Amino acid sequence: MKKSREKIKRLCVAAVFAAIIFIATAYLPRIPIGNGYVHIGDAAIYLCAAMLPAGYALPACALGAGLADLASGYAVYIPATVIIKAASALMFSHGKGSTVSKRNLVACFAGAVFCVGGYFLWEVLVFSSLVAPAASVIGNLLQSVASGVLFFAAAFAVDRSGLKKKL
């Protein structure tokens, strides 16, 4: 019975994270750039990945980010987003320890490289050109850096509050 309650609790937290990712990506202040926009949704993805086991975090991250693309008029990016955001989330550690960790710092860098590279490759496929994708590299990189900084600010607050231990 206790294990079932724990699964339901994590499923509910994952659903809340999917909603937060969706809102942070599609509706919170965004900065238009090139073919898309810079948003803070990746910070929520990183936090979700650092707080929940992969079986819960990956679907939450993919769903929240994919729905944000749909709602924002970027449906062409949904296949790439679902794969890229889930894979980025997989890089983070959700262990019982601190959310602020060396592994999660490395994951921010690895996630940024994977995200920028993944969207670059997707845009090369979609646009059949190297010019448009190259134009969006700087914006994607800025988004990843800003999200990493916001993630660590939120992760520090989560660690100080003891919230992760309650999940």
Side-chain angles (χ1 to χ4, degrees):
M1 183 73 154
K2 186 176 181 181
K3 209 163 189 84
S4 177
R5 292 178 89 192
E6 187 174 306
K7 286 182 181 182
I8 291 170
K9 185 177 178 181
R10 285 186 175 160
L11 184 61
C12 290
V13 172
V16 169
F17 264 116
I20 290 169
I21 291 163
F22 170 71
I23 291 167
T25 304
Y27 295 108
L28 290 183
R30 304 180 301 184
I31 302 166
I33 51 118
N35 298 326
Y37 55 92
V38 174
H39 58 80
I40 61 170
D42 286 355
I45 288 171
Y46 298 165
L47 191 60
C48 176
M51 292 183 67
L52 289 173
Y56 296 92
L58 273 58
C61 295
L63 181 65
L67 287 174
D69 279 353
L70 182 63
S72 301
Y74 293 96
V76 70
Y77 286 93
I78 293 172
T81 293
V82 166
I83 293 167
I84 291 167
K85 299 309 179 184
S88 294
L90 196 55
M91 297 176 193
F92 285 80
S93 172
H94 72 278
K96 297 286 182 196
S98 176
T99 309
V100 177
S101 67
K102 288 179 185 176
R103 176 173 172 167
N104 288 343
L105 176 63
V106 170
C108 279
F109 287 107
V113 169
F114 188 80
C115 213
V116 171
Y119 280 115
F120 179 81
L121 291 175
W122 179 255
E123 289 178 355
V124 166
L125 254 166
V126 169
F127 298 121
S128 299
S129 167
L130 291 175
V131 177
S136 65
V137 167
I138 298 293
N140 286 338
L141 190 57
L142 288 173
Q143 175 184 309
S144 294
V145 169
S147 290
V149 170
L150 287 173
F151 160 70
F152 275 101
F156 180 75
V158 163
D159 286 348
R160 295 274 300 184
S161 70
L163 181 62
K164 185 176 177 180
K165 292 174 185 166
K166 295 175 185 172
L167 299 178

